[in-house]
């Protein structure tokens, strides 16, 4: 599969084009410039062509160490890894000095290039598209990413730019899988052939992007001291040992009352969506200020969504009394997060790489627990002993009878208990059963679900016969 990078100055419609080719709204789109900061990858479909598409930050001039310079470095990395380039300009606004400056940059890259005159709908856009000839990058392709116009011409231009890569045997494109990035595979058992989906969530400036860069061993994501750098949720595929991973870096999540800008709301919603579709959620805390109220809210979100949870404590290199601090944090986690009791608390440092091996091992371990199945025989031997020692209480004089239990499904472990008068079973006794299951069958760090099914009364609705 070949790769195409979309580049251009801010606000020319690169993310809109990316979403159109990907077939869904993966990248955030807003009227203000500079929304995209990291490079984002997706699977694109154009006619019978299927390829990898990379959305990039808007090209801006700036010092190498500045935010603009670091964003430009991400774009340059995307150019280096691409087989072809879509250089986009705004046909309504016309060419700017920035367009001309960066046209020289992509010309030096010596990659097949297609010049796209976006926003070319209407008379004004069509006229502005002709300005693209001044860049010396070939004939511009007039296109409207928002309205879907001009994609037949883009298809022809791409086939011409990459004749060998786009020369597909008849019928091959139709046989390719239609799956798109972001689709959930929930409801299946553990399958190591599928990428393990991991979402890293946390408050702003917890060091999520820095940690993921260290895991990858490259500066794949934009980092810096500025809080809120990450906006889009970026999914990255890689291998760890013999396991395929898809790990999502997300925007920092603040308290809802503090979120003011519409763009931050979009970024937050994108991050929450990644957590909902993940299999394992890594809640990343700042070791210097752990377990803030927002951290607990995010842990509760992961539990409600039924995701396996690992608590990563980042910036561990800044902690002095490490052993005592780790004991304290694990005690706090057990006290503050009883709904995911036993969730691994793993100290890490995105700056030095300390603890990353152990973090990944904890992720694999909790994922296996999330997929765990327990036989009905084992469950009911345990249940019998529990009920004999601590029977359900009588409620309003009614005797509650639990007959048996079975596991309905995994991901997360979901159990059903059968019996009589179960609608009156107190929530405290349900929690007692959940804690017992967690301890007896080694289910730390995953949500446990229990539902109740009352046995039918064979005499219900029947009138007694008088002789």
């Amino acid at each position: 599969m070949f790769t195409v990078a979309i580049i251009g100055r801010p606000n020319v419609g690169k993310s809109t084009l990316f979403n159109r080719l990907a077939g869904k709204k993966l990248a955030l789109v807003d009227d203000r410039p500079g929304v995209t900061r990291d490079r984002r990858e997706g699977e694109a479909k154009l006619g019978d062509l299927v390829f990898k598409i990379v959305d990039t930050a808007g090209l801006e001039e700036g010092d190498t160490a500045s935010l603009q310079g670091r964003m430009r470095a991400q774009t340059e990395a995307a150019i280096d890894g691409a087989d072809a380039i879509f250089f986009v300009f705004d046909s309504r606004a016309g060419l700017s000095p920035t367009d001309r400056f960066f046209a020289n940059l992509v010309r030096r890259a010596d990659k097949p290039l297609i010049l796209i005159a976006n926003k070319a709908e209407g008379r004004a856009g069509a006229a502005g598209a002709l300005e693209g000839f001044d860049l010396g990058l070939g004939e511009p392709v007039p296109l409207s990413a928002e309205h879907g116009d001009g994609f037949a011409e883009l298809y022809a231009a791409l086939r011409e730019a990459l004749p060998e890569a786009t020369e597909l045997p008849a019928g091959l494109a139709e046989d390719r899988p239609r799956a798109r990035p972001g689709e959930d595979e929930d409801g299946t058992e553990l399958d190591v052939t599928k990428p393990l989906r991991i979402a890293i969530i946390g408050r702003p400036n917890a060091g999520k992007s820095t940690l993921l860069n260290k895991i990858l061993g490259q500066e794949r994501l934009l980092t810096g001291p500025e809080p809120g750098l990450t906006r889009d949720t970026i999914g990255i595929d890689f291998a760890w040992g013999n396991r395929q991973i898809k790990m999502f870096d997300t925007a920092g999540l603040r308290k809802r009352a503090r979120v003011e800008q519409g763009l931050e709301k979009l970024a937050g919603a994108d991050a929450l969506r990644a957590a909902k579709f993940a299999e394992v959620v890594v809640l990343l805390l700042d070791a210097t200020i752990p377990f803030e109220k927002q951290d607990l809210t995010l842990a509760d979100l992961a539990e409600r969504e039924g995701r396996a949870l690992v608590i990563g404590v980042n910036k561990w290199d800044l902690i002095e009394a490490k052993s005592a601090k780790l004991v304290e944090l694990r005690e706090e986690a057990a006290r503050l997060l009883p709904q995911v009791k036993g969730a691994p608390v793993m100290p890490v440092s995105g700056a030095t790489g300390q603890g990353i091996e152990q973090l990944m091992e904890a992720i694999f371990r909790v994922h296996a627990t999330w997929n765990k199945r327990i036989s009905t025989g084992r469950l009911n031997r345990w249940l019998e002993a529990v009920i004999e020692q601590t029977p359900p209480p009588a409620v309003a004089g009614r005797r509650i009878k639990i007959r048996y239990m079975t596991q309905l499904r995994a991901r997360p472990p979901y159990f059903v208990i059968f019996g009589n008068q179960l609608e009156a079973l107190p929530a405290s006794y349900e929690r007692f059963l959940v804690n017992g299951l967690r301890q007896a069958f080694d289910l730390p760090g995953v949500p446990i679900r229990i539902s109740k099914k009352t046995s039918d009364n064979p005499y219900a609705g029947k009138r007694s016969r008088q002789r």
Side-chain angles (χ1 to χ4, degrees), residues 248-461:
F248 294 86
D249 182 35
T250 65
L253 293 163
R254 299 197 295 166
K255 293 180 181 178
R256 187 176 298 178
R258 295 183 181 178
V259 177
E260 298 174 357
Q261 300 180 15
L263 181 57
E264 188 177 355
K265 289 181 181 178
L266 288 174
D270 208 25
L272 294 176
R273 188 161 49 249
K276 291 176 181 178
F277 282 119
E279 296 169 274
V280 179
V281 169
V282 177
L283 173 59
L284 201 62
L285 312 183
D286 184 330
T288 61
I289 44 171
F291 291 115
E292 295 280 287
K293 185 177 180 181
Q294 181 68 352
D295 296 325
L296 303 181
T297 300
L298 294 176
D300 194 51
L301 166 76
E303 193 279 335
R304 288 198 316 271
E305 293 298 331
R307 307 300 100 181
L309 180 68
V310 173
I311 300 171
V313 187
N314 196 24
K315 306 182 184 178
W316 197 244
D317 52 302
L318 303 179
I319 301 300
E320 294 183 1
K322 290 181 168 55
S323 296
K325 184 67 172 179
L326 184 56
V327 170
E328 176 190 334
L329 289 174
R330 286 176 173 163
E331 289 176 350
E332 277 195 79
R335 178 175 59 85
L336 297 170
L337 299 169
Q339 69 273 37
V340 282
K341 189 175 181 180
V345 178
M346 308 304 298
V348 292
S349 170
T352 67
Q354 176 187 356
I356 286 177
E357 290 276 353
Q358 293 81 1
L359 175 68
M360 296 303 295
E361 288 172 7
I363 289 171
F364 296 143
R365 192 165 59 248
V366 80
H367 180 248
T369 302
W370 190 64
N371 283 274
K372 195 170 188 177
R373 280 192 172 274
I374 304 162
S375 71
T376 301
R378 289 183 64 202
L379 278 173
N380 285 285
R381 285 192 294 272
W382 167 81
L383 181 64
E384 183 179 354
V386 167
I387 292 175
E388 183 178 348
Q389 184 175 358
T390 310
V395 178
R398 295 187 299 175
R399 180 169 173 257
I400 298 174
K401 177 71 173 178
I402 298 178
R403 298 186 182 280
Y404 68 98
M405 171 185 283
T406 188
Q407 184 176 357
L408 187 64
R409 60 174 181 267
R411 302 166 61 90
Y414 187 105
F415 303 92
V416 182
I417 55 176
F418 296 82
N420 294 336
Q421 314 293 349
L422 293 182
E423 69 279 358
L425 190 68
S428 59
Y429 197 82
E430 284 191 49
R431 287 195 297 271
F432 166 72
L433 291 177
V434 166
N435 290 333
L437 285 165
R438 195 182 298 283
Q439 183 175 359
F441 298 105
D442 193 22
L443 299 172
V446 299
I448 294 177
R449 305 285 191 251
I450 287 185
S451 67
K452 298 164 290 189
K453 186 171 178 59
T454 300
S455 302
D456 294 331
N457 182 351
Y459 300 102

